[in-house]
mmCIF file with all atom_site columns, all heavy atoms in Angstrom:
data_model
loop_
_atom_site.group_PDB
_atom_site.id
_atom_site.type_symbol
_atom_site.label_atom_id
_atom_site.label_alt_id
_atom_site.label_comp_id
_atom_site.label_asym_id
_atom_site.label_entity_id
_atom_site.label_seq_id
_atom_site.pdbx_PDB_ins_code
_atom_site.Cartn_x
_atom_site.Cartn_y
_atom_site.Cartn_z
_atom_site.occupancy
_atom_site.B_iso_or_equiv
_atom_site.pdbx_formal_charge
_atom_site.auth_seq_id
_atom_site.auth_comp_id
_atom_site.auth_asym_id
_atom_site.auth_atom_id
_atom_site.pdbx_PDB_model_num
ATOM 1   N N   . SER J 1 1  ? 12.500 -1.985  -18.937 1.00 94.00 ? 1  SER J N   1
ATOM 2   C CA  . SER J 1 1  ? 12.935 -2.515  -20.224 1.00 94.00 ? 1  SER J CA  1
ATOM 3   C C   . SER J 1 1  ? 13.921 -3.668  -20.054 1.00 94.00 ? 1  SER J C   1
ATOM 4   O O   . SER J 1 1  ? 13.787 -4.714  -20.691 1.00 94.00 ? 1  SER J O   1
ATOM 5   C CB  . SER J 1 1  ? 13.575 -1.392  -21.044 1.00 94.00 ? 1  SER J CB  1
ATOM 6   O OG  . SER J 1 1  ? 14.123 -1.890  -22.224 1.00 94.00 ? 1  SER J OG  1
ATOM 7   N N   . ILE J 1 2  ? 14.908 -3.494  -19.191 1.00 94.00 ? 2  ILE J N   1
ATOM 8   C CA  . ILE J 1 2  ? 15.928 -4.520  -18.982 1.00 94.00 ? 2  ILE J CA  1
ATOM 9   C C   . ILE J 1 2  ? 15.324 -5.779  -18.362 1.00 94.00 ? 2  ILE J C   1
ATOM 10  O O   . ILE J 1 2  ? 15.601 -6.893  -18.796 1.00 94.00 ? 2  ILE J O   1
ATOM 11  C CB  . ILE J 1 2  ? 17.071 -3.979  -18.095 1.00 94.00 ? 2  ILE J CB  1
ATOM 12  C CG1 . ILE J 1 2  ? 17.814 -2.867  -18.818 1.00 94.00 ? 2  ILE J CG1 1
ATOM 13  C CG2 . ILE J 1 2  ? 18.030 -5.095  -17.707 1.00 94.00 ? 2  ILE J CG2 1
ATOM 14  C CD1 . ILE J 1 2  ? 18.764 -2.070  -17.924 1.00 94.00 ? 2  ILE J CD1 1
ATOM 15  N N   . LEU J 1 3  ? 14.491 -5.583  -17.340 1.00 94.00 ? 3  LEU J N   1
ATOM 16  C CA  . LEU J 1 3  ? 13.901 -6.719  -16.620 1.00 94.00 ? 3  LEU J CA  1
ATOM 17  C C   . LEU J 1 3  ? 12.673 -7.298  -17.325 1.00 94.00 ? 3  LEU J C   1
ATOM 18  O O   . LEU J 1 3  ? 12.178 -8.354  -16.926 1.00 94.00 ? 3  LEU J O   1
ATOM 19  C CB  . LEU J 1 3  ? 13.523 -6.304  -15.191 1.00 94.00 ? 3  LEU J CB  1
ATOM 20  C CG  . LEU J 1 3  ? 14.683 -5.954  -14.272 1.00 94.00 ? 3  LEU J CG  1
ATOM 21  C CD1 . LEU J 1 3  ? 14.185 -5.283  -12.997 1.00 94.00 ? 3  LEU J CD1 1
ATOM 22  C CD2 . LEU J 1 3  ? 15.475 -7.206  -13.938 1.00 94.00 ? 3  LEU J CD2 1
ATOM 23  N N   . GLU J 1 4  ? 12.181 -6.563  -18.331 1.00 95.00 ? 4  GLU J N   1
ATOM 24  C CA  . GLU J 1 4  ? 10.982 -6.975  -19.069 1.00 95.00 ? 4  GLU J CA  1
ATOM 25  C C   . GLU J 1 4  ? 9.804  -7.178  -18.124 1.00 95.00 ? 4  GLU J C   1
ATOM 26  O O   . GLU J 1 4  ? 9.174  -8.243  -18.085 1.00 95.00 ? 4  GLU J O   1
ATOM 27  C CB  . GLU J 1 4  ? 11.269 -8.225  -19.905 1.00 95.00 ? 4  GLU J CB  1
ATOM 28  C CG  . GLU J 1 4  ? 12.361 -8.013  -20.927 1.00 95.00 ? 4  GLU J CG  1
ATOM 29  C CD  . GLU J 1 4  ? 12.785 -9.281  -21.644 1.00 95.00 ? 4  GLU J CD  1
ATOM 30  O OE1 . GLU J 1 4  ? 12.445 -10.403 -21.181 1.00 95.00 ? 4  GLU J OE1 1
ATOM 31  O OE2 . GLU J 1 4  ? 13.471 -9.150  -22.666 1.00 95.00 ? 4  GLU J OE2 1
ATOM 32  N N   . VAL J 1 5  ? 9.531  -6.131  -17.332 1.00 95.00 ? 5  VAL J N   1
ATOM 33  C CA  . VAL J 1 5  ? 8.425  -6.161  -16.380 1.00 95.00 ? 5  VAL J CA  1
ATOM 34  C C   . VAL J 1 5  ? 7.593  -4.891  -16.528 1.00 95.00 ? 5  VAL J C   1
ATOM 35  O O   . VAL J 1 5  ? 8.051  -3.894  -17.072 1.00 95.00 ? 5  VAL J O   1
ATOM 36  C CB  . VAL J 1 5  ? 8.929  -6.279  -14.914 1.00 95.00 ? 5  VAL J CB  1
ATOM 37  C CG1 . VAL J 1 5  ? 9.638  -7.592  -14.673 1.00 95.00 ? 5  VAL J CG1 1
ATOM 38  C CG2 . VAL J 1 5  ? 9.809  -5.103  -14.528 1.00 95.00 ? 5  VAL J CG2 1
ATOM 39  N N   . SER J 1 6  ? 6.374  -4.939  -16.007 1.00 95.00 ? 6  SER J N   1
ATOM 40  C CA  . SER J 1 6  ? 5.501  -3.762  -16.008 1.00 95.00 ? 6  SER J CA  1
ATOM 41  C C   . SER J 1 6  ? 5.925  -2.816  -14.889 1.00 95.00 ? 6  SER J C   1
ATOM 42  O O   . SER J 1 6  ? 6.739  -3.175  -14.024 1.00 95.00 ? 6  SER J O   1
ATOM 43  C CB  . SER J 1 6  ? 4.050  -4.189  -15.788 1.00 95.00 ? 6  SER J CB  1
ATOM 44  O OG  . SER J 1 6  ? 3.889  -4.690  -14.463 1.00 95.00 ? 6  SER J OG  1
ATOM 45  N N   . GLU J 1 7  ? 5.349  -1.629  -14.896 1.00 94.00 ? 7  GLU J N   1
ATOM 46  C CA  . GLU J 1 7  ? 5.642  -0.657  -13.848 1.00 94.00 ? 7  GLU J CA  1
ATOM 47  C C   . GLU J 1 7  ? 5.241  -1.212  -12.484 1.00 94.00 ? 7  GLU J C   1
ATOM 48  O O   . GLU J 1 7  ? 5.979  -1.073  -11.505 1.00 94.00 ? 7  GLU J O   1
ATOM 49  C CB  . GLU J 1 7  ? 4.892  0.654   -14.132 1.00 94.00 ? 7  GLU J CB  1
ATOM 50  C CG  . GLU J 1 7  ? 5.204  1.758   -13.149 1.00 94.00 ? 7  GLU J CG  1
ATOM 51  C CD  . GLU J 1 7  ? 4.481  3.054   -13.475 1.00 94.00 ? 7  GLU J CD  1
ATOM 52  O OE1 . GLU J 1 7  ? 3.843  3.162   -14.536 1.00 94.00 ? 7  GLU J OE1 1
ATOM 53  O OE2 . GLU J 1 7  ? 4.555  3.979   -12.635 1.00 94.00 ? 7  GLU J OE2 1
ATOM 54  N N   . TYR J 1 8  ? 4.087  -1.882  -12.429 1.00 96.00 ? 8  TYR J N   1
ATOM 55  C CA  . TYR J 1 8  ? 3.614  -2.477  -11.182 1.00 96.00 ? 8  TYR J CA  1
ATOM 56  C C   . TYR J 1 8  ? 4.580  -3.553  -10.682 1.00 96.00 ? 8  TYR J C   1
ATOM 57  O O   . TYR J 1 8  ? 4.933  -3.587  -9.513  1.00 96.00 ? 8  TYR J O   1
ATOM 58  C CB  . TYR J 1 8  ? 2.212  -3.073  -11.375 1.00 96.00 ? 8  TYR J CB  1
ATOM 59  C CG  . TYR J 1 8  ? 1.725  -3.856  -10.184 1.00 96.00 ? 8  TYR J CG  1
ATOM 60  C CD1 . TYR J 1 8  ? 1.263  -3.199  -9.046  1.00 96.00 ? 8  TYR J CD1 1
ATOM 61  C CD2 . TYR J 1 8  ? 1.743  -5.255  -10.188 1.00 96.00 ? 8  TYR J CD2 1
ATOM 62  C CE1 . TYR J 1 8  ? 0.823  -3.917  -7.935  1.00 96.00 ? 8  TYR J CE1 1
ATOM 63  C CE2 . TYR J 1 8  ? 1.309  -5.979  -9.084  1.00 96.00 ? 8  TYR J CE2 1
ATOM 64  C CZ  . TYR J 1 8  ? 0.851  -5.296  -7.957  1.00 96.00 ? 8  TYR J CZ  1
ATOM 65  O OH  . TYR J 1 8  ? 0.430  -6.005  -6.870  1.00 96.00 ? 8  TYR J OH  1
ATOM 66  N N   . GLU J 1 9  ? 5.018  -4.439  -11.591 1.00 95.00 ? 9  GLU J N   1
ATOM 67  C CA  . GLU J 1 9  ? 5.948  -5.505  -11.211 1.00 95.00 ? 9  GLU J CA  1
ATOM 68  C C   . GLU J 1 9  ? 7.277  -4.937  -10.730 1.00 95.00 ? 9  GLU J C   1
ATOM 69  O O   . GLU J 1 9  ? 7.865  -5.438  -9.772  1.00 95.00 ? 9  GLU J O   1
ATOM 70  C CB  . GLU J 1 9  ? 6.191  -6.455  -12.388 1.00 95.00 ? 9  GLU J CB  1
ATOM 71  C CG  . GLU J 1 9  ? 4.986  -7.308  -12.750 1.00 95.00 ? 9  GLU J CG  1
ATOM 72  C CD  . GLU J 1 9  ? 5.188  -8.059  -14.056 1.00 95.00 ? 9  GLU J CD  1
ATOM 73  O OE1 . GLU J 1 9  ? 5.527  -7.409  -15.066 1.00 95.00 ? 9  GLU J OE1 1
ATOM 74  O OE2 . GLU J 1 9  ? 5.032  -9.295  -14.031 1.00 95.00 ? 9  GLU J OE2 1
ATOM 75  N N   . LEU J 1 10 ? 7.744  -3.872  -11.383 1.00 94.00 ? 10 LEU J N   1
ATOM 76  C CA  . LEU J 1 10 ? 8.993  -3.242  -10.970 1.00 94.00 ? 10 LEU J CA  1
ATOM 77  C C   . LEU J 1 10 ? 8.860  -2.669  -9.562  1.00 94.00 ? 10 LEU J C   1
ATOM 78  O O   . LEU J 1 10 ? 9.734  -2.874  -8.716  1.00 94.00 ? 10 LEU J O   1
ATOM 79  C CB  . LEU J 1 10 ? 9.412  -2.131  -11.941 1.00 94.00 ? 10 LEU J CB  1
ATOM 80  C CG  . LEU J 1 10 ? 10.657 -1.354  -11.530 1.00 94.00 ? 10 LEU J CG  1
ATOM 81  C CD1 . LEU J 1 10 ? 11.890 -2.269  -11.508 1.00 94.00 ? 10 LEU J CD1 1
ATOM 82  C CD2 . LEU J 1 10 ? 10.884 -0.175  -12.458 1.00 94.00 ? 10 LEU J CD2 1
ATOM 83  N N   . GLN J 1 11 ? 7.766  -1.974  -9.291  1.00 94.00 ? 11 GLN J N   1
ATOM 84  C CA  . GLN J 1 11 ? 7.553  -1.397  -7.966  1.00 94.00 ? 11 GLN J CA  1
ATOM 85  C C   . GLN J 1 11 ? 7.500  -2.493  -6.896  1.00 94.00 ? 11 GLN J C   1
ATOM 86  O O   . GLN J 1 11 ? 8.007  -2.320  -5.790  1.00 94.00 ? 11 GLN J O   1
ATOM 87  C CB  . GLN J 1 11 ? 6.279  -0.549  -7.932  1.00 94.00 ? 11 GLN J CB  1
ATOM 88  C CG  . GLN J 1 11 ? 6.390  0.738   -8.722  1.00 94.00 ? 11 GLN J CG  1
ATOM 89  C CD  . GLN J 1 11 ? 7.582  1.569   -8.301  1.00 94.00 ? 11 GLN J CD  1
ATOM 90  O OE1 . GLN J 1 11 ? 7.884  1.737   -7.126  1.00 94.00 ? 11 GLN J OE1 1
ATOM 91  N NE2 . GLN J 1 11 ? 8.295  2.106   -9.287  1.00 94.00 ? 11 GLN J NE2 1
ATOM 92  N N   . LYS J 1 12 ? 6.912  -3.631  -7.264  1.00 95.00 ? 12 LYS J N   1
ATOM 93  C CA  . LYS J 1 12 ? 6.836  -4.769  -6.350  1.00 95.00 ? 12 LYS J CA  1
ATOM 94  C C   . LYS J 1 12 ? 8.249  -5.306  -6.052  1.00 95.00 ? 12 LYS J C   1
ATOM 95  O O   . LYS J 1 12 ? 8.609  -5.552  -4.899  1.00 95.00 ? 12 LYS J O   1
ATOM 96  C CB  . LYS J 1 12 ? 5.958  -5.852  -6.988  1.00 95.00 ? 12 LYS J CB  1
ATOM 97  C CG  . LYS J 1 12 ? 5.308  -6.797  -6.031  1.00 95.00 ? 12 LYS J CG  1
ATOM 98  C CD  . LYS J 1 12 ? 4.208  -7.556  -6.763  1.00 95.00 ? 12 LYS J CD  1
ATOM 99  C CE  . LYS J 1 12 ? 4.304  -9.008  -6.401  1.00 95.00 ? 12 LYS J CE  1
ATOM 100 N NZ  . LYS J 1 12 ? 3.316  -9.831  -7.083  1.00 95.00 ? 12 LYS J NZ  1
ATOM 101 N N   . LEU J 1 13 ? 9.076  -5.455  -7.094  1.00 94.00 ? 13 LEU J N   1
ATOM 102 C CA  . LEU J 1 13 ? 10.456 -5.932  -6.928  1.00 94.00 ? 13 LEU J CA  1
ATOM 103 C C   . LEU J 1 13 ? 11.266 -4.967  -6.060  1.00 94.00 ? 13 LEU J C   1
ATOM 104 O O   . LEU J 1 13 ? 11.996 -5.381  -5.161  1.00 94.00 ? 13 LEU J O   1
ATOM 105 C CB  . LEU J 1 13 ? 11.143 -6.087  -8.291  1.00 94.00 ? 13 LEU J CB  1
ATOM 106 C CG  . LEU J 1 13 ? 10.710 -7.252  -9.157  1.00 94.00 ? 13 LEU J CG  1
ATOM 107 C CD1 . LEU J 1 13 ? 11.293 -7.116  -10.564 1.00 94.00 ? 13 LEU J CD1 1
ATOM 108 C CD2 . LEU J 1 13 ? 11.136 -8.570  -8.529  1.00 94.00 ? 13 LEU J CD2 1
ATOM 109 N N   . ILE J 1 14 ? 11.109 -3.678  -6.334  1.00 94.00 ? 14 ILE J N   1
ATOM 110 C CA  . ILE J 1 14 ? 11.833 -2.658  -5.562  1.00 94.00 ? 14 ILE J CA  1
ATOM 111 C C   . ILE J 1 14 ? 11.392 -2.704  -4.112  1.00 94.00 ? 14 ILE J C   1
ATOM 112 O O   . ILE J 1 14 ? 12.213 -2.627  -3.197  1.00 94.00 ? 14 ILE J O   1
ATOM 113 C CB  . ILE J 1 14 ? 11.627 -1.256  -6.180  1.00 94.00 ? 14 ILE J CB  1
ATOM 114 C CG1 . ILE J 1 14 ? 12.397 -1.171  -7.507  1.00 94.00 ? 14 ILE J CG1 1
ATOM 115 C CG2 . ILE J 1 14 ? 12.082 -0.155  -5.219  1.00 94.00 ? 14 ILE J CG2 1
ATOM 116 C CD1 . ILE J 1 14 ? 12.102 0.059   -8.324  1.00 94.00 ? 14 ILE J CD1 1
ATOM 117 N N   . SER J 1 15 ? 10.099 -2.868  -3.881  1.00 94.00 ? 15 SER J N   1
ATOM 118 C CA  . SER J 1 15 ? 9.566  -2.937  -2.526  1.00 94.00 ? 15 SER J CA  1
ATOM 119 C C   . SER J 1 15 ? 10.128 -4.145  -1.775  1.00 94.00 ? 15 SER J C   1
ATOM 120 O O   . SER J 1 15 ? 10.536 -4.030  -0.609  1.00 94.00 ? 15 SER J O   1
ATOM 121 C CB  . SER J 1 15 ? 8.041  -3.000  -2.580  1.00 94.00 ? 15 SER J CB  1
ATOM 122 O OG  . SER J 1 15 ? 7.514  -3.126  -1.291  1.00 94.00 ? 15 SER J OG  1
ATOM 123 N N   . PHE J 1 16 ? 10.175 -5.316  -2.435  1.00 94.00 ? 16 PHE J N   1
ATOM 124 C CA  . PHE J 1 16 ? 10.724 -6.520  -1.799  1.00 94.00 ? 16 PHE J CA  1
ATOM 125 C C   . PHE J 1 16 ? 12.202 -6.337  -1.451  1.00 94.00 ? 16 PHE J C   1
ATOM 126 O O   . PHE J 1 16 ? 12.647 -6.691  -0.364  1.00 94.00 ? 16 PHE J O   1
ATOM 127 C CB  . PHE J 1 16 ? 10.564 -7.745  -2.701  1.00 94.00 ? 16 PHE J CB  1
ATOM 128 C CG  . PHE J 1 16 ? 9.151  -8.242  -2.838  1.00 94.00 ? 16 PHE J CG  1
ATOM 129 C CD1 . PHE J 1 16 ? 8.729  -8.824  -4.031  1.00 94.00 ? 16 PHE J CD1 1
ATOM 130 C CD2 . PHE J 1 16 ? 8.235  -8.137  -1.802  1.00 94.00 ? 16 PHE J CD2 1
ATOM 131 C CE1 . PHE J 1 16 ? 7.437  -9.294  -4.176  1.00 94.00 ? 16 PHE J CE1 1
ATOM 132 C CE2 . PHE J 1 16 ? 6.944  -8.607  -1.934  1.00 94.00 ? 16 PHE J CE2 1
ATOM 133 C CZ  . PHE J 1 16 ? 6.535  -9.184  -3.123  1.00 94.00 ? 16 PHE J CZ  1
ATOM 134 N N   . LEU J 1 17 ? 12.953 -5.773  -2.391  1.00 93.00 ? 17 LEU J N   1
ATOM 135 C CA  . LEU J 1 17 ? 14.386 -5.555  -2.164  1.00 93.00 ? 17 LEU J CA  1
ATOM 136 C C   . LEU J 1 17 ? 14.593 -4.532  -1.049  1.00 93.00 ? 17 LEU J C   1
ATOM 137 O O   . LEU J 1 17 ? 15.448 -4.705  -0.179  1.00 93.00 ? 17 LEU J O   1
ATOM 138 C CB  . LEU J 1 17 ? 15.054 -5.092  -3.466  1.00 93.00 ? 17 LEU J CB  1
ATOM 139 C CG  . LEU J 1 17 ? 16.573 -5.082  -3.496  1.00 93.00 ? 17 LEU J CG  1
ATOM 140 C CD1 . LEU J 1 17 ? 17.162 -6.443  -3.157  1.00 93.00 ? 17 LEU J CD1 1
ATOM 141 C CD2 . LEU J 1 17 ? 17.053 -4.636  -4.879  1.00 93.00 ? 17 LEU J CD2 1
ATOM 142 N N   . ASP J 1 18 ? 13.764 -3.502  -1.054  1.00 93.00 ? 18 ASP J N   1
ATOM 143 C CA  . ASP J 1 18 ? 13.866 -2.459  -0.030  1.00 93.00 ? 18 ASP J CA  1
ATOM 144 C C   . ASP J 1 18 ? 13.582 -3.033  1.359   1.00 93.00 ? 18 ASP J C   1
ATOM 145 O O   . ASP J 1 18 ? 14.234 -2.661  2.334   1.00 93.00 ? 18 ASP J O   1
ATOM 146 C CB  . ASP J 1 18 ? 12.890 -1.321  -0.354  1.00 93.00 ? 18 ASP J CB  1
ATOM 147 C CG  . ASP J 1 18 ? 13.138 -0.087  0.487   1.00 93.00 ? 18 ASP J CG  1
ATOM 148 O OD1 . ASP J 1 18 ? 14.326 0.269   0.679   1.00 93.00 ? 18 ASP J OD1 1
ATOM 149 O OD2 . ASP J 1 18 ? 12.159 0.524   0.954   1.00 93.00 ? 18 ASP J OD2 1
ATOM 150 N N   . GLU J 1 19 ? 12.642 -3.956  1.445   1.00 93.00 ? 19 GLU J N   1
ATOM 151 C CA  . GLU J 1 19 ? 12.339 -4.611  2.728   1.00 93.00 ? 19 GLU J CA  1
ATOM 152 C C   . GLU J 1 19 ? 13.553 -5.383  3.248   1.00 93.00 ? 19 GLU J C   1
ATOM 153 O O   . GLU J 1 19 ? 13.856 -5.358  4.434   1.00 93.00 ? 19 GLU J O   1
ATOM 154 C CB  . GLU J 1 19 ? 11.129 -5.536  2.607   1.00 93.00 ? 19 GLU J CB  1
ATOM 155 C CG  . GLU J 1 19 ? 9.803  -4.813  2.576   1.00 93.00 ? 19 GLU J CG  1
ATOM 156 C CD  . GLU J 1 19 ? 9.563  -3.958  3.812   1.00 93.00 ? 19 GLU J CD  1
ATOM 157 O OE1 . GLU J 1 19 ? 9.769  -4.431  4.951   1.00 93.00 ? 19 GLU J OE1 1
ATOM 158 O OE2 . GLU J 1 19 ? 9.178  -2.777  3.634   1.00 93.00 ? 19 GLU J OE2 1
ATOM 159 N N   . ASP J 1 20 ? 14.251 -6.073  2.334   1.00 93.00 ? 20 ASP J N   1
ATOM 160 C CA  . ASP J 1 20 ? 15.476 -6.782  2.726   1.00 93.00 ? 20 ASP J CA  1
ATOM 161 C C   . ASP J 1 20 ? 16.504 -5.807  3.295   1.00 93.00 ? 20 ASP J C   1
ATOM 162 O O   . ASP J 1 20 ? 17.160 -6.086  4.298   1.00 93.00 ? 20 ASP J O   1
ATOM 163 C CB  . ASP J 1 20 ? 16.104 -7.499  1.521   1.00 93.00 ? 20 ASP J CB  1
ATOM 164 C CG  . ASP J 1 20 ? 15.303 -8.708  1.073   1.00 93.00 ? 20 ASP J CG  1
ATOM 165 O OD1 . ASP J 1 20 ? 14.409 -9.146  1.822   1.00 93.00 ? 20 ASP J OD1 1
ATOM 166 O OD2 . ASP J 1 20 ? 15.592 -9.208  -0.035  1.00 93.00 ? 20 ASP J OD2 1
ATOM 167 N N   . TYR J 1 21 ? 16.641 -4.666  2.652   1.00 92.00 ? 21 TYR J N   1
ATOM 168 C CA  . TYR J 1 21 ? 17.649 -3.685  3.048   1.00 92.00 ? 21 TYR J CA  1
ATOM 169 C C   . TYR J 1 21 ? 17.296 -2.959  4.350   1.00 92.00 ? 21 TYR J C   1
ATOM 170 O O   . TYR J 1 21 ? 18.172 -2.400  4.998   1.00 92.00 ? 21 TYR J O   1
ATOM 171 C CB  . TYR J 1 21 ? 17.878 -2.656  1.946   1.00 92.00 ? 21 TYR J CB  1
ATOM 172 C CG  . TYR J 1 21 ? 18.614 -3.206  0.751   1.00 92.00 ? 21 TYR J CG  1
ATOM 173 C CD1 . TYR J 1 21 ? 18.266 -2.818  -0.527  1.00 92.00 ? 21 TYR J CD1 1
ATOM 174 C CD2 . TYR J 1 21 ? 19.665 -4.105  0.897   1.00 92.00 ? 21 TYR J CD2 1
ATOM 175 C CE1 . TYR J 1 21 ? 18.950 -3.308  -1.633  1.00 92.00 ? 21 TYR J CE1 1
ATOM 176 C CE2 . TYR J 1 21 ? 20.341 -4.603  -0.196  1.00 92.00 ? 21 TYR J CE2 1
ATOM 177 C CZ  . TYR J 1 21 ? 19.978 -4.204  -1.452  1.00 92.00 ? 21 TYR J CZ  1
ATOM 178 O OH  . TYR J 1 21 ? 20.654 -4.682  -2.541  1.00 92.00 ? 21 TYR J OH  1
ATOM 179 N N   . LYS J 1 22 ? 16.033 -2.958  4.723   1.00 91.00 ? 22 LYS J N   1
ATOM 180 C CA  . LYS J 1 22 ? 15.636 -2.268  5.955   1.00 91.00 ? 22 LYS J CA  1
ATOM 181 C C   . LYS J 1 22 ? 16.043 -3.034  7.207   1.00 91.00 ? 22 LYS J C   1
ATOM 182 O O   . LYS J 1 22 ? 16.016 -2.486  8.299   1.00 91.00 ? 22 LYS J O   1
ATOM 183 C CB  . LYS J 1 22 ? 14.131 -2.004  5.950   1.00 91.00 ? 22 LYS J CB  1
ATOM 184 C CG  . LYS J 1 22 ? 13.763 -0.873  5.022   1.00 91.00 ? 22 LYS J CG  1
ATOM 185 C CD  . LYS J 1 22 ? 12.300 -0.548  5.086   1.00 91.00 ? 22 LYS J CD  1
ATOM 186 C CE  . LYS J 1 22 ? 12.027 0.620   4.142   1.00 91.00 ? 22 LYS J CE  1
ATOM 187 N NZ  . LYS J 1 22 ? 10.626 0.929   4.019   1.00 91.00 ? 22 LYS J NZ  1
ATOM 188 N N   . LYS J 1 23 ? 16.459 -4.270  7.026   1.00 90.00 ? 23 LYS J N   1
ATOM 189 C CA  . LYS J 1 23 ? 16.885 -5.065  8.171   1.00 90.00 ? 23 LYS J CA  1
ATOM 190 C C   . LYS J 1 23 ? 18.156 -4.465  8.772   1.00 90.00 ? 23 LYS J C   1
ATOM 191 O O   . LYS J 1 23 ? 18.982 -3.886  8.063   1.00 90.00 ? 23 LYS J O   1
ATOM 192 C CB  . LYS J 1 23 ? 17.127 -6.520  7.755   1.00 90.00 ? 23 LYS J CB  1
ATOM 193 C CG  . LYS J 1 23 ? 15.863 -7.215  7.296   1.00 90.00 ? 23 LYS J CG  1
ATOM 194 C CD  . LYS J 1 23 ? 16.146 -8.602  6.794   1.00 90.00 ? 23 LYS J CD  1
ATOM 195 C CE  . LYS J 1 23 ? 14.860 -9.231  6.270   1.00 90.00 ? 23 LYS J CE  1
ATOM 196 N NZ  . LYS J 1 23 ? 15.117 -10.453 5.529   1.00 90.00 ? 23 LYS J NZ  1
ATOM 197 N N   . GLU J 1 24 ? 18.302 -4.612  10.063  1.00 88.00 ? 24 GLU J N   1
ATOM 198 C CA  . GLU J 1 24 ? 19.416 -4.009  10.783  1.00 88.00 ? 24 GLU J CA  1
ATOM 199 C C   . GLU J 1 24 ? 20.779 -4.535  10.338  1.00 88.00 ? 24 GLU J C   1
ATOM 200 O O   . GLU J 1 24 ? 21.785 -3.826  10.415  1.00 88.00 ? 24 GLU J O   1
ATOM 201 C CB  . GLU J 1 24 ? 19.243 -4.250  12.291  1.00 88.00 ? 24 GLU J CB  1
ATOM 202 C CG  . GLU J 1 24 ? 20.195 -3.433  13.132  1.00 88.00 ? 24 GLU J CG  1
ATOM 203 C CD  . GLU J 1 24 ? 19.935 -3.634  14.610  1.00 88.00 ? 24 GLU J CD  1
ATOM 204 O OE1 . GLU J 1 24 ? 18.786 -3.420  15.041  1.00 88.00 ? 24 GLU J OE1 1
ATOM 205 O OE2 . GLU J 1 24 ? 20.878 -4.012  15.311  1.00 88.00 ? 24 GLU J OE2 1
ATOM 206 N N   . ASP J 1 25 ? 20.823 -5.755  9.824   1.00 90.00 ? 25 ASP J N   1
ATOM 207 C CA  . ASP J 1 25 ? 22.116 -6.345  9.440   1.00 90.00 ? 25 ASP J CA  1
ATOM 208 C C   . ASP J 1 25 ? 22.535 -5.995  8.013   1.00 90.00 ? 25 ASP J C   1
ATOM 209 O O   . ASP J 1 25 ? 23.455 -6.586  7.475   1.00 90.00 ? 25 ASP J O   1
ATOM 210 C CB  . ASP J 1 25 ? 22.096 -7.867  9.625   1.00 90.00 ? 25 ASP J CB  1
ATOM 211 C CG  . ASP J 1 25 ? 21.098 -8.571  8.724   1.00 90.00 ? 25 ASP J CG  1
ATOM 212 O OD1 . ASP J 1 25 ? 20.166 -7.910  8.209   1.00 90.00 ? 25 ASP J OD1 1
ATOM 213 O OD2 . ASP J 1 25 ? 21.237 -9.788  8.530   1.00 90.00 ? 25 ASP J OD2 1
ATOM 214 N N   . ARG J 1 26 ? 21.888 -5.024  7.410   1.00 92.00 ? 26 ARG J N   1
ATOM 215 C CA  . ARG J 1 26 ? 22.234 -4.595  6.056   1.00 92.00 ? 26 ARG J CA  1
ATOM 216 C C   . ARG J 1 26 ? 22.836 -3.190  6.102   1.00 92.00 ? 26 ARG J C   1
ATOM 217 O O   . ARG J 1 26 ? 22.425 -2.355  6.903   1.00 92.00 ? 26 ARG J O   1
ATOM 218 C CB  . ARG J 1 26 ? 21.001 -4.586  5.143   1.00 92.00 ? 26 ARG J CB  1
ATOM 219 C CG  . ARG J 1 26 ? 20.297 -5.929  5.013   1.00 92.00 ? 26 ARG J CG  1
ATOM 220 C CD  . ARG J 1 26 ? 21.195 -7.055  4.505   1.00 92.00 ? 26 ARG J CD  1
ATOM 221 N NE  . ARG J 1 26 ? 21.675 -6.867  3.165   1.00 92.00 ? 26 ARG J NE  1
ATOM 222 C CZ  . ARG J 1 26 ? 21.110 -7.394  2.081   1.00 92.00 ? 26 ARG J CZ  1
ATOM 223 N NH1 . ARG J 1 26 ? 20.055 -8.149  2.190   1.00 92.00 ? 26 ARG J NH1 1
ATOM 224 N NH2 . ARG J 1 26 ? 21.625 -7.169  0.895   1.00 92.00 ? 26 ARG J NH2 1
ATOM 225 N N   . GLY J 1 27 ? 23.806 -2.921  5.229   1.00 92.00 ? 27 GLY J N   1
ATOM 226 C CA  . GLY J 1 27 ? 24.497 -1.633  5.225   1.00 92.00 ? 27 GLY J CA  1
ATOM 227 C C   . GLY J 1 27 ? 24.121 -0.713  4.089   1.00 92.00 ? 27 GLY J C   1
ATOM 228 O O   . GLY J 1 27 ? 24.597 0.413   4.009   1.00 92.00 ? 27 GLY J O   1
#
């Protein structure tokens, strides 16, 4: 609702952000 995206788009955004966080230099 806040981002005005579909469920699929939200999962895609979460997946991209999660990939960034999986890097060793992230806490």
